[in-house]
Amino acid sequence: MTALSRTIRAGLPARQRATMTSKPTDISKKSGGLLSRLRQALNGLGNGAARGISRGPARGTARGPVPANGRPASNEVSSDQGAAKALSDRGLLVFSHTGEVIKAESLLRKAGLAVEVKGPPPQLRTGCDMVVVFELVSQTLVLETLNKGGLRPEQVVTAHDVLLEPVSLYQVKHLEHWIMVRAANMKITLDKRDGRIVNISGGGCPDVPWLAHCLCGLRLDEAPEPRSLGQTLCCYSLQKAYEELRRQYPCGT
Amino acid sequence: MWYIAGTLPNKDMGLCEAAAQAPAHVRGGMLHLADEKSIPVQRGTAALAATALLACEALGYEPPRLLLAGDIGSGAGSRALYAWLTEHVESLAPEGLTFHYLFPDVDWHNRVLMAIQAMQSAPLLVADAGFMYVAKMSGYADAYDLFTPDLGEMAFLADEKAPHPFYTRGFLLAEEEDIPALLARAQAHGNCPANLIIKGRADHIVCDGQLTATVEEPSEPAMECIGGTGDLVTGLVTALLAGKVPLCKASLAAARLARLLARHCAPDPGTQVAQLLEQLPQVLHRHAEDVLKAD
């Protein structure tokens, strides 16, 4: 079996890649979250029952039946150190007009999505002074909902670092009669003899097995787009791989 | 008792508490749960669970119990499972937990991790798929004992800014064959545990923070295309850990056994993981003892 692999950068618009130190600060969950409560506990404001989340194999003194396995000793640190490394799980939708922001918020809330409207970080201030904050992992569902409502954001970025780009590298492998395209963590494989999708692999969001169940066995030219079936960022990765596969293997060739 | 926590692609299935109370079985390519539900083994958590159950049966180990919920991407089933775990994990008193396809939710992840760390005797923690993503996203990846990423996911762990593999920066994806560099970067930012099985054309075993082994043979290139082969490796290491095989040995053995299974089956890119699993007991009976004896 021979393999030919190559990496392709898609034609996404080039964007500044410099590291930005300024990050949005107004997008944390309103609930305060566990870590906020944890900080309170550590500051003596809680009931003292909560232990800090530990890094490394933080274990109680009694190990019970679990084998030692040669793991290093406990190395607990304060929760704030872990929280400092935490990444925001929110994304930002940027529109060119305030009216689109308002319409987007309404559409998304009607679809049952938890969204908020906030002021944009300085790097995103292009005229419109509002952005829609959403749960990043649900990006596919958010964009599909907006698409059905006739809205398209100018930019979709992560709240943690507004200059992070979606994946734009594709890996293509040819294995005898099959072609596999990978985008980020998702792979889709097609049998060139009959144009059928034979396998979908990778990913970790719960709709990946669902997408694979729905798409495997279908001809590429009759298969629905992944984004019409799934809801998560893994689905969006698969959508990118699907689009690249259609580019690599135009219908009927 | 070891537990496997994950979701199944079923929009009508809620939280399946029965699966935690009694053992499940694999017969005829179906996962049979304690409440008589039958689930086809295709990929995802069903494939991981089926692998672990079949391997434990073949090797004479106590099989893991399953913590399952239906979820096709809304996150509702995952959150029900997170909530259930937060409330019940202490009473389960697990020796170990393998977390798999779960909707990444940082707040719920942290609640579950806190509940686990409040236990008197904390379990071994293995994470793969969506739960590995959220563990990294939370900033507490190094609270775990083992991650099982593929190459793209290793690049994601190495990217201290990426909240999901979809946003892994291109320069890291392009360098993904440089495992030592990715590992060093992930470790420097505390974004991985001390032990990893990095799955790829060659599997890299990281033990106590050191790259200790590379497994390249036998090699079946088609395995990269087949959905569920990563779940198979995670299922094997789960079974070995449930059988109290030490972590580093279990990681190396799981990588080797998956490759021996692949060689035995001679798959092509259209092969389904269920076809591989049909041959798993036979391959384990033939090879497991020797693999586990090897250094």
Side-chain angles (χ1 to χ4, degrees):
Chain A
M1 189 171 285
T2 60
L4 171 67
S5 67
R6 59 201 168 101
T7 303
I8 299 166
R9 178 174 287 281
L12 291 181
R15 212 183 292 167
Q16 186 182 352
R17 288 172 179 273
T19 301
M20 301 295 289
T21 54
S22 173
K23 296 182 177 65
T25 57
D26 55 351
I27 53 170
S28 58
K29 288 182 181 178
K30 280 183 175 173
S31 66
L34 174 97
L35 294 180
S36 299
R37 286 184 278 109
L38 189 56
R39 283 191 203 99
Q40 285 186 334
L42 290 171
N43 289 333
L45 300 174
N47 60 16
R51 289 172 29 188
I53 293 178
S54 305
R55 299 170 62 189
R59 307 297 167 207
T61 50
R63 295 203 50 79
V66 181
N69 293 332
R71 292 177 304 147
S74 175
N75 181 30
E76 286 199 10
V77 297
S78 79
S79 66
D80 282 343
Q81 286 176 273
K85 292 188 301 171
L87 299 167
S88 172
D89 58 358
R90 306 284 126 167
L92 308 179
L93 300 168
V94 184
F95 295 90
S96 55
H97 301 292
T98 308
E100 289 177 308
V101 173
I102 294 165
K103 188 176 174 188
E105 181 193 21
S106 173
L107 280 171
L108 295 171
R109 288 206 167 149
K110 274 184 191 166
L113 290 154
V115 297
E116 295 174 276
V117 173
K118 300 282 186 183
Q123 305 94 307
L124 292 181
R125 285 183 191 145
T126 57
C128 180
D129 59 359
M130 294 194 292
V131 292
V132 178
V133 183
F134 69 100
E135 192 174 31
L136 191 64
V137 175
S138 300
Q139 184 168 319
T140 300
L141 179 58
V142 166
L143 294 182
E144 272 304 287
T145 303
L146 293 177
N147 188 43
K148 285 176 187 166
L151 280 177
R152 178 175 291 184
E154 282 197 335
Q155 288 186 74
V156 184
V157 295
T158 70
H160 185 78
D161 186 324
V162 297
L163 296 182
L164 283 185
E165 290 180 348
V167 68
S168 58
L169 286 171
Y170 301 102
Q171 190 182 55
V172 180
K173 285 190 176 178
H174 295 271
L175 292 156
E176 294 184 358
H177 311 293
W178 294 271
I179 177 173
M180 185 193 82
V181 176
R182 199 187 101 187
N185 56 336
M186 292 301 307
K187 290 166 269 193
I188 182 168
T189 301
L190 176 129
D191 188 331
K192 291 187 279 190
R193 291 170 296 186
D194 59 9
R196 290 184 190 280
I197 298 166
V198 292
N199 256 308
I200 286 171
S201 62
C205 295
D207 52 356
V208 171
W210 170 248
L211 288 161
H213 172 76
C214 294
L215 294 175
C216 286
L218 297 182
R219 286 178 53 90
L220 184 62
D221 58 4
E222 66 185 17
E225 295 194 37
R227 66 184 179 190
S228 69
L229 301 166
Q231 307 183 40
T232 69
L233 276 173
C234 286
C235 172
Y236 218 77
S237 297
L238 182 62
Q239 174 72 23
K240 293 286 186 185
Y242 168 96
E243 289 169 5
E244 181 61 23
L245 180 59
R246 291 197 79 141
R247 201 180 72 79
Q248 294 278 328
Y249 185 82
C251 294
T253 63
Chain B
M1 182 76 68
W2 199 283
Y3 288 85
I4 295 169
T7 58
L8 299 173
N10 185 330
K11 62 178 182 295
D12 300 320
M13 174 183 164
L15 179 70
C16 183
E17 287 199 60
Q21 307 305 325
H25 302 279
V26 182
R27 292 288 179 272
M30 302 290 284
L31 188 60
H32 299 278
L33 305 182
D35 62 357
E36 301 184 355
K37 280 194 185 74
S38 295
I39 295 148
V41 177
Q42 293 175 312
R43 55 188 66 77
T45 301
L48 184 154
T51 302
L53 292 168
L54 287 169
C56 283
E57 186 175 326
L59 300 171
Y61 299 155
E62 184 179 25
R65 295 279 172 88
L66 309 181
L67 306 169
L68 300 172
D71 195 332
I72 61 167
S74 73
S78 298
R79 289 181 179 115
L81 184 49
Y82 281 126
W84 191 90
L85 259 174
T86 303
E87 188 176 345
H88 293 95
V89 72
E90 186 173 6
S91 60
L92 292 177
E95 293 176 25
L97 281 152
T98 298
F99 294 101
H100 203 223
Y101 275 86
L102 284 157
F103 190 92
D105 184 307
V106 171
D107 202 37
W108 273 116
H109 163 271
N110 290 347
R111 289 169 194 259
V112 169
L113 185 57
M114 269 196 79
I116 289 169
Q117 294 204 328
M119 294 167 59
Q120 184 68 22
S121 179
L124 282 174
L125 300 177
V126 177
D128 189 22
F131 199 86
M132 178 173 68
Y133 302 172
V134 74
K136 184 255 187 171
M137 197 191 294
S138 74
Y140 294 105
D142 50 3
Y144 289 79
D145 295 290
L146 176 67
F147 279 1
T148 54
D150 64 17
L151 289 176
E153 290 167 336
M154 192 61 216
F156 157 65
L157 296 177
D159 189 340
E160 73 280 6
K161 294 192 173 192
H164 185 280
F166 183 65
Y167 283 102
T168 304
R169 285 174 289 178
F171 73 94
L172 285 163
L173 284 172
E175 297 295 324
E176 68 180 18
E177 295 291 341
D178 187 357
I179 298 295
L182 294 178
L183 176 62
R185 191 177 174 116
Q187 289 172 331
H189 292 283
N191 284 330
C192 66
N195 305 290
L196 296 153
I197 304 173
I198 304 168
K199 302 172 285 196
R201 193 178 61 229
D203 298 320
H204 294 81
I205 310 301
V206 178
C207 180
D208 291 333
Q210 303 296 317
L211 188 55
T212 56
T214 301
V215 188
E216 295 181 86
E217 296 293 337
S219 178
E220 293 290 340
M223 289 290 276
E224 186 182 5
C225 305
I226 300 170
T229 52
D231 308 324
L232 195 154
V233 174
T234 309
L236 281 171
V237 77
T238 293
L240 296 171
L241 291 171
K244 304 192 188 328
V245 176
L247 184 52
C248 294
K249 192 183 201 59
S251 298
L252 183 56
R256 286 179 171 162
L257 288 168
R259 284 171 180 273
L260 289 166
L261 174 63
R263 174 53 52 92
H264 177 83
C265 296
D268 65 44
T271 299
Q272 304 299 302
V273 73
Q275 296 171 264
L276 302 176
L277 287 176
E278 285 173 11
Q279 303 298 317
L280 181 62
Q282 189 181 340
V283 169
L284 290 176
H285 285 307
R286 188 181 297 173
H287 296 290
E289 190 175 344
D290 290 342
V291 168
L292 286 167
K293 274 184 189 166
D295 289 332

